[in-house]
Amino acid sequence: MSQSKPKPKDAKRLVVLSGRGERAPGAVWLVGAGPGDPELLTIKALKVLQTADVVVHDGLVSEEILDLAPEAARRISVAKRKSRHSYAQGEINAMLVAFAQDGLTVVRLKGGDPFIFGRGGEELEACRAAGVECRIVPGVTAALAAAADAGAPLTHRGSAQAVTFVTGHASAGDEPNLDWEGLAKANQTVVIYMGVSTAAGISTRLMGAGRLGSTPALIVANASRANERRIVTTLAGLPAAAAEVAGPALLIVGEAMALAQAGAAEIVAHVEVRERGAMS
Ligand code: SAH
């Protein structure tokens, strides 16, 4: 039996419980939960979370952070699931609007920052179209945590004059339509979100457009979490290195990644990747 989805009428029950009149206007807060470590939550995100009647969260938000919401707050996961029904973006938008129209304070909690590959813009537009107040609390996007943990700056005097965040996936599910020539220029950092499964294509494209295969690269999986893993590699070694990681991961390419530090386990992975690169 499929699990029933929350309906606005359920929300009304919560209104009664919280003792608020049904006509009191609710609001939607799009809150960035950061990359995972609860200490990377902003003070504002914490304060807003503590006022939530309903928390609608995706899969990247850790339990430790969800525990910071009031005990009475209803928690709804809209995580993408392989086996069960996943919520379509339109259903999430409608849910946020319906809860707010019922007078609830809705916290839409997203991994990282809501406006960096977080579909926050679509939720904002849905609220605006419905006349629902929508406010945004920025969060630490994964790239910032990954770079910080590796000790590799995203911009660096002399070797990284720009940083670009790109997606490794187009909405159709295949390769994104990016300005490969522009991204292939030296002395800039390219951070690829959602790029693990398309790492081979990205690496080929960048090298095809002229970026050196020896350009330093870094992969960080589960940045800021206890199970964080970093692999130091090169643009040419990116596909082999990407095959080693599990969980949410970023690919970062650029000369400044020469500063990236890996732990003991990751150095081994680095050597393996280089050996494989040398054989091919
Ligand atoms: N809004 C989020 C990004 C969501 S897109 C943000 O600002 O960080 C999902 C992608 O983000 C993942 O596929 C992965 O590439 C990246 N990501 C999210 N959390 C991560 C983490 N803790 N470590 C590494 N990459 C992460």
Side-chain angles (χ1 to χ4, degrees), residues 34-36 60 110-118 139-143 146 192-195 220-225 248-250:
L60 290 175
K110 290 166 169 291
D113 180 86
F115 282 175
I116 300 286
F117 303 122
V140 174
T141 191
I192 302 129
Y193 285 71
M194 296 170 279
V220 184
N222 291 300
S224 87
R225 298 174 188 193
L250 291 175

Side-chain angles (χ1 to χ4, degrees), residues 172-183:
D174 38 42
E175 204 179 75
N177 181 18
L178 297 170
D179 173 15
W180 300 106
E181 304 262 305
L183 296 173

Side-chain angles (χ1 to χ4, degrees), residues 156-267:
H156 193 48
R157 207 173 152 81
S159 66
Q161 277 115 34
V163 55
T164 309
F165 294 168
V166 305
T167 172
H169 261 94
S171 44
D174 38 42
E175 204 179 75
N177 181 18
L178 297 170
D179 173 15
W180 300 106
E181 304 262 305
L183 296 173
K185 296 214 167 77
N187 294 326
Q188 58 163 328
T189 308
V190 181
V191 182
I192 302 129
Y193 285 71
M194 296 170 279
V196 173
S197 63
T198 50
I202 287 164
S203 168
T204 305
R205 288 277 192 173
L206 285 175
M207 289 191 293
R211 197 113 196 211
L212 293 178
S214 58
T215 307
L218 169 71
I219 299 184
V220 184
N222 291 300
S224 87
R225 298 174 188 193
N227 58 346
E228 173 170 327
R229 182 154 183 229
R230 297 191 295 273
I231 304 178
V232 175
T233 181
T234 59
L235 177 55
L238 212 50
E244 314 249 329
V245 299
L250 291 175
L251 318 178
I252 311 183
V253 178
E255 290 74 8
M257 292 304 109
L259 275 76
Q261 290 181 327
E266 290 77 12
I267 287 167

Side-chain angles (χ1 to χ4, degrees), residues 27-34 41-42 44-46 48-49 54-58 61 89 92-93 95-97 100 105-116 118-128 132-139:
V28 172
W29 288 83
L30 303 181
V31 177
L41 209 58
T42 64
K44 187 160 187 171
L46 176 61
V48 170
L49 188 56
V54 191
V55 180
V56 180
H57 63 93
D58 57 37
V61 178
Q89 188 60 48
I92 298 171
N93 297 351
M95 187 195 299
L96 299 178
V97 165
T105 298
V106 185
V107 170
R108 172 70 175 111
L109 200 54
K110 290 166 169 291
D113 180 86
F115 282 175
I116 300 286
R119 306 193 74 170
E122 292 160 65
E123 292 166 7
L124 172 67
E125 283 181 317
C127 290
R128 281 186 182 157
V132 164
E133 183 188 355
C134 180
R135 300 180 67 181
I136 294 99
V137 181

Side-chain angles (χ1 to χ4, degrees), residues 82-107:
K82 290 214 172 80
S83 51
R84 281 198 277 156
H85 173 82
S86 298
Y87 288 87
Q89 188 60 48
E91 291 178 291
I92 298 171
N93 297 351
M95 187 195 299
L96 299 178
V97 165
F99 280 137
Q101 283 175 337
D102 271 346
L104 300 176
T105 298
V106 185
V107 170

